[in-house]
Amino acid sequence: MADQTSQGAEARQKSDTAYWAANVRIILVSLVIWALVSFGFGILLRPMLSGIGVGGTDLGFWFAQQGSIIVFLALIFFYAWRMNRLDREFGVEEE
């Protein structure tokens, strides 16, 4: 009986580890996208994007002022959607 309990605890620990690994992976991907859009496109790559016009201004300025905010909001919705799906996969969803 104790052997079954330890196997159940091991399986639960592996499931928890897999859940948190997937969670951290989603967070890291989201942070990389956010940093690339806000810092990369808005600051570092702005000279390369200055020739492309969007709404009366160049694309680099647009990313710095509005694009990074829109991408940030999209990432929030993506994260919520993906975490709900991940919660269902691992059986830890809210009721």
Side-chain angles (χ1 to χ4, degrees):
M1 180 89 152
D3 195 33
Q4 289 177 346
T5 305
S6 66
Q7 287 176 349
E10 268 184 48
R12 180 68 180 167
Q13 185 176 5
K14 286 182 182 179
S15 177
D16 290 348
T17 302
Y19 174 79
W20 283 106
N23 186 2
V24 169
R25 187 172 39 251
I26 293 168
I27 291 170
L28 288 176
V29 167
S30 297
L31 284 174
V32 166
I33 292 170
W34 174 69
L36 178 67
V37 169
S38 63
F39 187 70
F41 289 168
I43 298 171
L44 296 177
L45 299 176
R46 183 158 184 237
M48 291 173 34
L49 299 173
S50 65
I52 303 169
V54 171
T57 187
D58 65 271
L59 188 60
F61 180 78
W62 184 83
F63 268 113
Q65 297 302 312
Q66 295 164 346
S68 60
I69 296 169
I70 292 169
V71 170
F72 182 70
L73 290 173
L75 284 172
I76 290 171
F77 286 108
F78 167 76
Y79 179 77
W81 169 79
R82 185 64 181 102
M83 284 307 299
N84 284 334
R85 201 169 122 200
L86 190 68
D87 289 348
R88 280 192 302 275
E89 287 175 21
F90 285 90
V92 293
E93 71 270 21
E94 297 178 10
E95 294 182 17

